[in-house]
Every structure is written in structure tokens, then in C-alpha cells.
Amino acid sequence: MHMSDINLKLDRRMVLSLKQDSELVNFSKSSKVPVPVSVFNIGDHVFMDSFFPKDITMDQHLKLLVQRMEIKERKESYVVRTRINNVESLKIINDLFRIPSVVPNRIDIENGALHFYMRFHHNFQDNVSLLLEKYLENPENTKIDFLGQSDGLAATFARIDSRYPLSLVSFDMLLDEESRKSIGSVTEGSIAELSATGAGENGFNAILYTEDKMAESAGSINKLVDVDNIYQVTLSNRMLTEFRKKLVEEPIIRVGIFMRLTGNRLSVTSVIPSIQVHEYYNYLFWSAEKTGQKVSLKYVCPYTIENFENI
């Protein structure tokens, strides 16, 4: 399979806006530049890291605002950490991400709100609709910016790239016994896309796209959509687990992560903001050395449709 073969597999997309009462989010009402963010938990509290490229032109208001906050300086960006106070509004996101086939592709701040972008399969439209009915009683806090037909994975990434530049980083490694056992008899060339639930207790949860039907009893494979050959799979791999932990701690935004089986090797391609490329491959090599896993870095290049489909 090629990346173009999975372009329209998840044929629905949605954008939700969540209001947050914070200085940084409120500032975005007057800013025309969307700011990519990562949302995560530390204990019982929810935080947000916002990523500003070093070459951004900051007005005096933003400079003063950022100086009062917790800042990390990186090679090509500043990371501003703030606490999310309206945690209640995030419950819909947590519940949406538990629905099978839902894959997040972007979170950013713009126009005074947090925006969550996601794709999913039409078989789960009723599940999504039920959650919207449950949570959207107060349009002041949460509203639907878009819900409808997806124009494809390539168009999704192109849209993000037009707002802030994206890059592709791809590497491969030998498939160890643990990984091979966890994926059972997945056919060569099949492509897995990391799902909204990310990592589970037993490994990485991913959406698996195959050319042929597979037996659900093969490894950790469960059927999601019959007609389109879409499955849920859990991949166990020590190095990837360590790598993901590092990316979450730092953090690094992953717009998309894809895995392909080729012979006895596993190829991993990530779509990430260009300002984070340097940190990404450094953390990759750090994780590989820590776990004794050899990795081969294959591509570090700007995102284009052609580059994405040819990797």
C-alpha cells in the first residue's frame, strides 16, 4: 500500500472550538497567526504548551504576556506553558478520542479559542453525534466549526502546512520478536496510523489499513470497518514506547504518525511542525541508544504531498 491508498479511508472530519479564559488564548483574538499547542495532564491539572517560532514578530503586548509565563527556549522555538482552567470543557474531547477510528490531527489557538481538528470513519458518525448532543448545550463554551465530508489526509496536512510549516521525519528499524508477536500476521505493506488513544497499557493503539481482510484473532487485531478493511491494532515495542514517552514529556507535537511493515523492518513516518524537527530526531537517537535499538534515519524534509506519498 501507498500513502495515497489511505487518503480517504477516514472519510469524515470535524473541527471543535472550546473557549478558554486565559490571557494567552484571549490574546489570540487580535492575532492573525494560529499557534500550535499540545494539551496534557500533570497529576490532577491540565496544561497547555504553546509553540512560537523564534522568528515570529511579537508586539509589545505579547512580549510582556509571554515574559510572565513559564518559557522553554529551543533551537527554533519558544515554548510557553500555561494551565488550563476550564477543564470541564475538555471532557467532550476525552470522550470523542475514545470513539473507534477517531484520529486527531491538530490543536491550535486562534480567535480566542482552542480548536481541535480530527478525522473519523462514517460508521461512527452516530457515536460522534450522540456525544455532541450530550455536550453542546452551551454554545458559549463549545461549538462545531465544521462537521462533514473529509477532503482527504493529504488535504488535511496541506491545510495545516499553509498555516505553519510542516516537515516529514522517517526512520526504520528491525522488527523485534516482541513487535512481531504483537501484530500477528499483518500483511507486508499494510499501513498503521496512530489513533487518538495513542498508547495503551500493552503498547501503541493504531488504525490499521490493509489491502485484504484479516483474521481478528491474529495478534491484537480487531475489526473496525469491514468493507474498507480497517482494523484496530496494538503494537508493542520498547524503543517506540520510550520514544513516545520522551515526546510527551518535552513535548513534541505529532500531526500524524504512520507505520508500515516491509519485510522484517518497521518504517515510522511522522508529520510534525518544522520548528520541532531538530528536537524530534535528537530524541529519537536518545531513545534508540537508551534501549539498545538500532534505527536508520531515512528522511528529514519539508512536507509536500509528493514527499509524503513517496516515503
Side-chain angles (χ1 to χ4, degrees):
M1 295 184 76
H2 301 283
M3 289 298 184
S4 57
D5 295 324
I6 70 170
N7 188 45
L8 289 168
K9 289 284 190 178
L10 302 184
D11 54 355
R12 303 285 290 173
R13 75 179 181 96
M14 181 166 64
V15 183
L16 281 183
S17 293
L18 276 63
K19 184 179 179 181
Q20 287 294 322
D21 187 17
S22 73
E23 286 187 281
L24 193 58
V25 175
N26 289 335
F27 171 80
S28 69
K29 293 177 183 177
S30 59
S31 174
K32 296 181 180 179
V33 180
V35 178
V37 302
S38 174
V39 177
F40 56 95
N41 293 76
I42 298 180
D44 296 330
H45 303 300
V46 182
F47 291 85
M48 175 179 71
D49 277 355
S50 307
F51 299 84
F52 294 88
K54 283 189 173 180
D55 59 2
I56 190 175
T57 302
M58 293 190 185
D59 63 19
Q60 192 62 27
H61 181 194
L62 182 57
K63 284 181 181 178
L64 292 173
L65 182 62
V66 168
Q67 286 170 4
R68 297 200 304 269
M69 299 176 178
E70 183 182 341
I71 301 176
K72 289 182 181 179
E73 183 175 358
R74 294 190 175 169
K75 187 174 180 64
E76 297 184 59
S77 65
Y78 296 107
V79 185
V80 180
R81 177 162 295 181
T82 53
R83 183 172 166 182
I84 290 180
N85 297 315
N86 188 6
V87 177
E88 191 71 21
S89 67
L90 293 178
K91 286 185 177 179
I92 184 175
I93 300 299
N94 292 331
D95 284 353
L96 279 168
F97 285 176
R98 293 188 185 100
I99 295 176
S101 87
V102 173
V103 174
N105 289 120
R106 169 183 169 195
I107 310 172
D108 62 31
I109 305 171
E110 192 175 15
N111 298 324
L114 268 172
H115 302 272
F116 292 79
Y117 300 75
M118 63 198 79
R119 297 163 24 252
F120 60 96
H121 193 275
H122 69 264
N123 273 27
F124 300 95
Q125 179 62 63
D126 289 348
N127 305 62
V128 171
S129 184
L130 284 171
L131 273 180
L132 296 176
E133 180 183 358
K134 176 182 177 181
Y135 283 104
L136 297 187
E137 295 179 356
N138 186 355
E140 291 297 317
N141 289 328
T142 308
K143 67 174 184 176
I144 303 169
D145 287 340
F146 180 88
L147 174 62
Q149 200 73 13
S150 171
D151 49 2
L153 184 59
T156 295
F157 292 154
R159 195 160 34 244
I160 301 171
D161 184 60
S162 71
R163 309 306 302 276
Y164 38 85
L166 298 177
S167 290
L168 300 169
V169 182
S170 184
F171 65 92
D172 71 9
M173 61 187 189
L174 282 171
L175 199 65
D176 59 21
E177 185 177 345
E178 176 192 21
S179 302
R180 169 57 73 182
K181 184 178 179 180
S182 71
I183 61 176
S185 57
V186 172
T187 53
E188 182 168 334
S190 297
I191 297 174
E193 179 179 10
L194 204 66
S195 65
T197 51
E201 294 182 2
N202 300 316
F204 292 89
N205 298 320
I207 308 297
L208 178 68
Y209 310 103
T210 68
E211 291 184 339
D212 304 308
K213 293 186 183 301
M214 296 192 61
E216 291 188 65
S217 59
S220 59
I221 297 169
N222 297 295
K223 182 173 64 179
L224 287 184
V225 181
D226 192 18
V227 66
D228 289 323
N229 294 335
I230 300 177
Y231 301 83
Q232 177 84 38
V233 65
T234 302
L235 170 69
S236 297
N237 182 276
R238 183 165 169 258
M239 195 286 291
L240 291 179
T241 298
E242 192 66 44
F243 185 33
R244 181 188 183 277
K245 180 181 177 183
K246 189 69 173 175
L247 296 181
V248 171
E249 286 175 352
E250 290 306 320
I252 299 291
I253 293 175
R254 285 87 72 204
V255 176
I257 299 180
F258 303 87
M259 302 177 185
R260 179 192 280 116
L261 183 64
T262 307
N264 65 341
R265 301 189 73 84
L266 183 70
S267 297
V268 181
T269 298
S270 293
V271 186
I272 60 176
S274 297
I275 60 174
Q276 296 190 309
V277 166
H278 177 78
E279 286 85 5
Y280 181 94
Y281 59 68
N282 274 325
Y283 297 147
L284 169 65
F285 291 138
W286 177 88
S287 303
E289 182 177 0
K290 182 177 180 180
T291 58
Q293 172 75 59
K294 291 182 179 179
V295 298
S296 179
L297 190 62
K298 297 292 187 180
Y299 295 95
V300 178
C301 57
Y303 172 82
T304 65
I305 292 176
E306 292 75 21
N307 286 344
F308 181 64
E309 292 184 349
N310 290 330
I311 282 181

